[in-house]
Amino acid sequence: QTMKVMAGTAACRTVRKWEAQKGAKFVPFIATTGRPEEEILHEVWMSGMNGYLRKPVDVKSIASSLAEFLANPVPWVGSSEATSDEATTKVGCLVVFKHPLSDPDSLLHRYPVILVVDDEVSNNKLISRVLTRNGAFKVIARTDGSQALATLKDLRFKVDLVLMDEMMKNVNGSTATQEIRAYEAEHNMPATPILALTANSSSDIARIVQSGMDGCITKPLDVKLIPSTIIEFLALWKDRMSRPSLLGTPKSELGCLTLFAKPPQSTREATRSFTAAHSAAQGQERLAR
């Protein structure tokens, strides 16, 4: 992972690019590293590797672990552990990604794109720095809830995740989310995943759930956990259609994130209520003119 001429992640990314161009077989890559998991998890995943092995290497189990992994490498589904809600699974002494990237070079230009909406400039800078440190994410920052829907429209909703501060001065996160959900419903669009950034008071949580957000990250932010948490969440979000129970039962913990399981009917009712109220307000405004 930390070789002098070329890092293992850079070498793997080069190989994956060649495989994609040539239509070649996807060769399994396993990183060996002595760095802490929270530092290397998203960097290794975004390089296209299949997993990693922590140093010092357990020589007694490495052969059996590799044999078990190679029996079913991409994605690894060789045991009941792989059906859990995590983005990784243990295969002996290996940590294996269940959703490895086959062409990370092309994905870096469009995936994942994170829209951060927070009126505290320091928070925007902190999150941007943490998520872009290893080139793993593209971050777009806005400082007011009123800018959220307009930004998504400008980007044609090609955003993988929205991190939305709840307590903004002008338009708060819940109101901005309701506007987004109403627009998505009106145009028959799939829901964009939205996670709240909040101090986690009970009143905040009730309002966040009703607005249609998918979970919340509690402030103060744990910057060490944010990248790996977002990676795991995006893997779960990608898999939600085949396994809808993944996203909370009725709420579950994932790293520094609390996920909500909202009955679809309640979300639709909340969206309809907001749309009706918004239309009524527009009608009154036109009459006033």
Side-chain angles (χ1 to χ4, degrees):
Q1 171 60 14
T2 55
M3 294 179 285
K4 293 180 180 179
V5 177
M6 177 184 285
T9 48
C12 183
R13 189 175 290 114
T14 300
V15 172
R16 294 291 182 241
K17 182 177 180 179
W18 182 87
E19 289 171 338
Q21 290 173 342
K22 302 296 183 180
K25 181 181 177 182
F26 187 76
V27 177
F29 271 71
I30 299 292
T32 57
T33 180
R35 291 164 58 192
E37 181 180 62
E38 61 270 17
E39 289 185 10
I40 57 93
L41 182 66
H42 69 291
E43 180 181 355
V44 171
W45 180 71
M46 286 298 294
S47 74
M49 289 195 181
N50 297 73
Y52 59 91
L53 172 66
R54 293 294 306 280
K55 294 179 181 178
V57 175
D58 184 352
V59 294
K60 293 182 179 180
S61 64
I62 186 170
S64 59
S65 300
L66 287 171
E68 187 179 359
F69 165 70
L70 289 172
N72 213 337
V74 186
W76 198 88
V77 290
S79 81
S80 59
E81 285 186 80
T83 63
S84 71
D85 292 351
E86 301 297 323
T88 60
T89 188
K90 289 282 289 183
V91 184
C93 60
L94 308 178
V95 178
V96 175
F97 298 113
K98 289 188 290 182
H99 301 279
L101 299 179
S102 59
D103 187 8
D105 188 68
S106 63
L107 292 178
L108 281 172
H109 299 294
R110 61 179 180 85
Y111 175 81
V113 177
I114 314 294
L115 172 61
V116 181
V117 186
D118 194 322
D119 61 356
E120 292 187 29
V121 176
S122 59
N123 276 344
N124 274 341
K125 289 182 177 179
L126 175 64
I127 294 172
S128 297
R129 185 169 67 250
V130 169
L131 293 180
T132 59
R133 180 161 37 198
N134 294 304
F137 302 93
K138 179 178 180 181
V139 176
I140 299 167
R142 296 292 182 266
T143 56
D144 191 84
S146 63
Q147 301 171 317
L149 178 57
T151 301
L152 287 173
K153 288 179 181 179
D154 289 342
L155 296 171
R156 299 182 181 179
F157 277 78
K158 291 181 179 179
V159 170
D160 296 281
L161 176 65
V162 179
L163 297 179
M164 183 84 74
D165 182 35
E166 172 58 17
M167 299 302 293
M168 290 181 283
K169 294 176 182 178
N170 186 18
V171 174
N172 65 28
S174 292
T175 301
T177 299
Q178 287 177 314
E179 292 176 351
I180 292 168
R181 295 297 184 229
Y183 184 89
E184 290 170 338
E186 182 182 351
H187 293 82
N188 197 27
M189 299 169 63
T192 303
I194 302 175
L195 302 177
L197 305 174
T198 178
N200 205 23
S201 69
S202 57
S203 59
D204 281 356
I205 296 300
R207 187 168 58 246
I208 288 166
V209 172
Q210 286 300 314
S211 73
M213 292 198 209
D214 302 287
C216 68
I217 296 176
T218 305
K219 291 181 177 182
L221 302 174
D222 188 337
V223 294
K224 291 183 179 180
L225 285 177
I226 286 177
S228 58
T229 297
I230 289 177
I231 285 172
E232 291 188 42
F233 172 77
L234 289 175
L236 294 183
W237 185 264
K238 179 181 178 181
D239 218 15
R240 73 194 185 286
M241 297 306 293
S242 58
R243 292 193 288 162
S245 62
L246 287 176
L247 297 178
T249 53
K251 74 174 185 178
S252 58
E253 304 298 322
L254 181 68
C256 59
L257 168 64
T258 299
L259 298 170
F260 305 132
K262 303 179 294 298
Q265 187 63 31
S266 65
T267 301
R268 285 197 297 267
E269 288 174 354
T271 300
R272 282 200 296 267
S273 298
F274 177 81
T275 303
H278 186 62
S279 298
Q282 287 183 322
Q284 291 177 355
E285 185 177 335
R286 282 195 294 268
L287 287 174
R289 290 174 185 172

